[in-house]
Every structure is written in structure tokens, then in C-alpha cells.
């Protein structure tokens, strides 16, 4: 992509004094449900009303969406409330129908971004459109796949592009439904600073109680907007019940979020500082998690040594590790003195862990 500046235009044209907000139910269920939610959101800061019409479900047998019929309901939303509309498309037929029904914003879901064939098919079907197209990150934490999706759309001459960060699936259970792995979104932002970046805290958290905190982190990381699933009766939603909020909760969340506007040089400075500090917090959190994992492996080694009655301290192995880390440190602009201090501390903690295992 040569001139990424043009990627920002559609968002700048909206001239918003708050982050972009896309809200509405996970799934369109009935005409009444869609219209009721839309009317409750009509006078809020919501810019685009979302509803899933075709639902990609991980396992068969769940509600798979109402299909093309729901597009008529979205048209009614626009006619009755003036809100622009948004839905997910996952193949060329969906694109054709969505364009025929004048949907304003289309997004590519996480399960589609993983497939270059699907993304290419959608890009070809959208060729030259001036609709806004947002690419969700792929389900798995793979930046290249996400970038590939953006590049395919950009090459199809779709200029009003953006991305949605909805977290990444993990095999191990975490406190999130989809782990945010903020560093991947930060990396994408560093590569394409002008590509509008939206956070989807609903699919990241999977729990309505955590939506506020994740939204605030996203805004602190300079995200341009939020996509939040909203339903008048979340507990009885036909999909993603645990993560949807009511329209009034959404409005409260929007009111309570600290939104940093870039108005003067002092504010610019504080904004930049705040973004960097949040990035540091994300990295520190990862460091602690990695160190915790390393000590668990040390415990495992302790158990093996205990079985074989082998001494905890193995100097040759330790010197090998240090040598390797000093070289890797150099490649990452870290001084030898620093590496020695850090690894001595890590090594001491590993020994303590192993001794605890061996001596009980
Ligand atoms: C959705 O937005 O309802 C959805 C299915 O999201 P994702 O593709 O992020 O799972
Ligand atoms: Mn959903």
C-alpha cells in the first residue's frame, strides 16, 4: 500500500467528536427485535447499527441467522431511525445481496479472514465499492493473515477500509473469550497508522461485565472506535447472550469512557504519552505471564531431577543459556550487563522453585 493517508478519509469525513460506535445485536432475530433495539439506540452516539444476518457458528446446530430477509429489516432501520447499517458478509452472494439492500458498512468476520480464498472472493465481489469495509482479525494470532486480508481488499480498489480487533482464540482458557494480544493490534497500527482501527470488546471478553475495561484500554491505545453487541433482552438473545449489553448500558458505557481528544499540543503530548504507557503495561503483563510460565517449566525440571536424584545446579547448562542470551540481547540492543543481571535473577528464582519441589 503506497498512500495509506487515503485510508483515513471516510472516518475523518464523519467529523465525529467521539470514537466511532457500531452497535446492535449479534444476530438479527425478528423484525420487531431489530427495530426495537434500533429505536432505543437512535438518539445515542451510535453511528452504525449492526446486526448479523448470516451467522458463522463454530459448531452446527446453533442459530445460523435469518438470511437475506434480515436485510429488509436493516433497510427499515435506516428509513425509520436514520442510522446507517452494518452487517457481516462471508461470500460473493452475501456481498451482492448486501449491496442491493444498500447496507453502508460491511465487515469480514474472523472465521473468513483466515481464508485467503474467501477474502479474495469477497474482494472481487466488492471491487471498486465506496462502501466501508472492515476486516476483523483472523481467529488465530497471525498478523500476516490479517495484513493479507487488508491487502487483497486494497488491491480490489476498495478505499474505505478499516480493521476490527476482536481478539484471538487460545487453546488454554484465559479470562477472555478471545485473548486481546494487544501487541498484534499495536503492530498493525504501527505499520498502517492511517488505517482506522476499531475494537470489538464484545467478542474479546465474551462477558458484558468486562466490556467497559476493554473499551477503555482500546481508547487508551488510540483505537478509533468500538463495535459493541447490544440487545434489549441480552439474556434471551439467540446468539452470544452473555456478552451483549442493553442499549441503556451501552449509553452509560459511552458516557463513562475517558475519551482523549487531540486538541492542542499539550493534549497531543499527553495522548502520545498515555498511548505509550498503555503499550508498556501490555508488554509488562506479557513479561510477567512468560516468567510465570518459565517457572512452571522449572518446577517440572525439579520433579525430574528429584526422581533421578540429580543436583539442582548444572553449571554447564547455565553457562550455555547465558552465552546464548547475551548474543540474542545484542541483536535486540540490550547490553551484556543488563542481560547478566536479568538472567541471574531469573536463574535464582528457578533454583528456588526447583529446591522447593525437591525439598517439598
Ligand atoms: C460477530 O460480530 O457477530 C461475529 C460473528 O464476530 P467474529 O467474526 O469476530 O467472531
Ligand atoms: Mn456475536
Amino acid at each position: 500500500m503506497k498512500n495509506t493517508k487515503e485510508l483515513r478519509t471516510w472516518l475523518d469525513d464523519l467529523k465525529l467528536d467521539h470514537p466511532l460506535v457500531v452497535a446492535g445485536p449479534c444476530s438479527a432475530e425478528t423484525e420487531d427485535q431489530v427495530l426495537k433495539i434500533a429505536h432505543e439506540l437512535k438518539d445515542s452516539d451510535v453511528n452504525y447499527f449492526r446486526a448479523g444476518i448470516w451467522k458463522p457458528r463454530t459448531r452446527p446446530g446453533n442459530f445460523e441467522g435469518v438470511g437475506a430477509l434480515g436485510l429488509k429489516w436493516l433497510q427499515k432501520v435506516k428509513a425509520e431511525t436514520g442510522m446507517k447499517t452494518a452487517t457481516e458478509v462471508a461470500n460473493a452472494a452475501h456481498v451482492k445481496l448486501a449491496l442491493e439492500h444498500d447496507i453502508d458498512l460491511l465487515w469480514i468476520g474472523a472465521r473468513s479472514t483466515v481464508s485467503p480464498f474467501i477474502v479474495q472472493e469477497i474482494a472481487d465481489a466488492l471491487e471498486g465499492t465506496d462502501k466501508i469495509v472492515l476486516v476483523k482479525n483472523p481467529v488465530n494470532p497471525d498478523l500476516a493473515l490479517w495484513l493479507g486480508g487488508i491487502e487483497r481488499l486494497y488491491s480490489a480498489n476498495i478505499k474505505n477500509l478499516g480493521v476490527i480487533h476482536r481478539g484471538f482464540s487460545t487453546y488454554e482458557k484465559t479470562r477472555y473469550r478471545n485473548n486481546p494480544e494487544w501487541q498484534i493490534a499495536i503492530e498493525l497500527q504501527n505499520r498502517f497508522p492511517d488505517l482506522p482501527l476499531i475494537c470489538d470488546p464484545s467478542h474479546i471478553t465474551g462477558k458484558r461485565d468486562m466490556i467497559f475495561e476493554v473499551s477503555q484500554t482500546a481508547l487508551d491505545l488510540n483505537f478509533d472506535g468500538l463495535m459493541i453487541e447490544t440487545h434489549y433482552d441480552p439474556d434471551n438473545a439467540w446468539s452470544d447472550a452473555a456478552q451483549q449489553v442493553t442499549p441503556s448500558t451501552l449509553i452509560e458505557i459511552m458516557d463513562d469512557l475517558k475519551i482523549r481528544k487531540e486538541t492542542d499540543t499539550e493534549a497531543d503530548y499527553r495522548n502520545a504519552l498515555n498511548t505509550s504507557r498503555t503499550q508498556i503495561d501490555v508488554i509488562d503483563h506479557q513479561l510477567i505471564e512468560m516468567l510465570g510460565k518459565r517457572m512452571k517449566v522449572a518446577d517440572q525440571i525439579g520433579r525430574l531431577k528429584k526422581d533421578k536424584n540429580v543436583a539442582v545446579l548444572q553449571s554447564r547448562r547455565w553457562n550455555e543459556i547465558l552465552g546464548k542470551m547475551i548474543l540474542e540481547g545484542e541483536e535486540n540492543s540490550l547490553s551484556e550487563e543488563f542481560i547478566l543481571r536479568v538472567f541471574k535473577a531469573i536463574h535464582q528464582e528457578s533454583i528456588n522453585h526447583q529446591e522447593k519441589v525437591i525439598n517439598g
Side-chain angles (χ1 to χ4, degrees):
M1 278 191 239
K2 280 159 253 113
N3 181 10
T4 60
K5 273 271 181 261
E6 63 192 69
L7 296 171
R8 268 211 89 72
T9 340
W10 67 268
L11 186 61
D12 291 340
D13 284 351
L14 292 173
K15 298 201 190 324
L16 302 176
D17 62 354
H18 58 79
L20 180 87
V21 187
V22 184
C26 176
S27 301
E29 298 164 3
T30 64
E31 181 172 336
D32 284 352
Q33 172 247 14
V34 166
L35 289 170
K36 188 167 153 65
I37 299 167
H39 278 279
E40 288 183 30
L41 290 173
K42 180 173 76 159
D43 299 319
S44 68
D45 280 344
V46 173
N47 305 104
Y48 287 86
F49 180 84
R50 65 152 281 159
I53 300 293
W54 300 284
K55 298 304 300 175
R57 305 313 297 269
T58 303
R59 307 282 301 272
N62 294 312
F63 174 60
E64 297 201 324
V66 292
L69 171 67
L71 295 168
K72 298 247 182 300
W73 307 341
L74 285 176
Q75 279 187 303
K76 263 200 167 166
V77 165
K78 191 155 35 173
E80 287 187 17
T81 70
M83 267 190 290
K84 293 191 174 149
T85 53
T87 202
E88 173 176 348
V89 288
N91 60 39
H94 294 168
V95 169
K96 187 166 176 289
L97 283 162
L99 294 181
E100 279 168 14
H101 289 79
D102 202 24
I103 302 295
D104 303 288
L105 182 158
L106 311 174
W107 80 83
I108 298 183
R111 292 164 193 77
S112 300
T113 310
V114 292
S115 165
F117 287 136
I118 291 286
V119 176
Q120 192 59 53
E121 175 181 327
I122 297 171
D124 292 343
L126 281 166
E127 173 107 42
T129 184
D130 57 3
K131 299 286 184 193
I132 296 164
V133 183
L134 304 181
V135 187
K136 283 199 170 197
N137 63 260
V139 175
N140 54 320
D142 184 342
L143 178 63
L145 213 42
W146 201 2
L147 294 174
I150 298 159
E151 285 157 359
R152 283 177 201 280
L153 292 172
Y154 195 74
S155 302
N157 195 26
I158 299 157
K159 293 194 198 75
N160 295 332
L161 274 181
V163 289
I164 304 176
H165 173 220
R166 49 79 78 197
F168 299 90
S169 95
T170 48
Y171 186 67
E172 286 166 39
K173 281 247 165 302
T174 70
R175 61 191 285 261
Y176 301 98
R177 176 178 179 196
N178 290 291
N179 201 8
E181 311 242 21
W182 295 106
Q183 76 286 357
I184 297 181
I186 292 168
E187 177 74 31
L188 184 99
Q189 204 177 25
N190 289 339
R191 299 237 199 144
F192 298 114
D194 298 310
L195 190 63
L197 174 59
I198 318 289
C199 178
D200 171 349
S202 308
H203 291 89
I204 288 179
T205 62
K207 282 182 227 64
R208 64 180 70 97
D209 293 350
M210 289 168 68
I211 298 223
F212 178 82
E213 91 184 53
V214 167
S215 301
Q216 188 64 65
T217 302
L219 296 186
D220 291 345
L221 287 168
N222 248 351
F223 276 57
D224 298 292
L226 301 167
M227 178 190 260
I228 300 182
E229 289 188 338
T230 312
H231 194 295
Y232 67 83
D233 183 10
D235 284 336
N236 290 305
W238 296 3
S239 59
D240 288 350
Q243 70 195 30
Q244 304 207 54
V245 295
T246 60
S248 58
T249 303
L250 175 81
I251 291 164
E252 249 170 62
I253 291 175
M254 299 312 301
D255 279 350
D256 292 346
L257 285 170
K258 282 203 213 70
I259 297 157
R260 278 162 255 275
K261 287 187 210 146
E262 296 178 33
T263 46
D264 54 46
T265 48
E266 178 59 21
D268 278 357
Y269 156 77
R270 269 185 280 118
N271 239 343
L273 189 67
N274 193 56
T275 302
S276 297
R277 284 187 172 154
T278 311
Q279 292 187 357
I280 293 264
D281 289 349
V282 166
I283 295 168
D284 284 349
H285 168 77
Q286 284 178 308
L287 281 174
I288 296 286
E289 259 188 9
M290 294 309 287
L291 287 170
K293 275 190 190 154
R294 193 189 192 283
M295 295 310 152
K296 285 215 174 78
V297 178
D299 289 344
Q300 184 63 31
I301 293 179
R303 282 189 283 276
L304 290 171
K305 286 181 181 166
K306 185 180 184 181
D307 288 349
K308 289 275 172 225
N309 207 15
V310 173
V312 164
L313 189 62
Q314 303 278 317
S315 340
R316 214 184 51 187
R317 160 84 182 138
W318 169 232
N319 285 328
E320 269 171 26
I321 295 185
L322 267 189
K324 254 198 314 203
M325 289 305 111
I326 288 169
L327 284 179
E328 279 193 32
E330 243 168 58
E331 285 163 18
N332 287 282
S333 314
L334 301 169
S335 70
E336 178 170 341
E337 187 226 338
F338 173 69
I339 293 289
L340 285 173
R341 264 192 290 146
V342 168
F343 273 86
K344 269 189 192 149
I346 292 176
H347 188 228
Q348 187 57 55
E349 183 72 6
S350 286
I351 290 176
N352 295 350
H353 268 252
Q354 292 190 21
E355 279 183 343
K356 220 159 145 194
V357 168
I358 291 174
N359 303 321

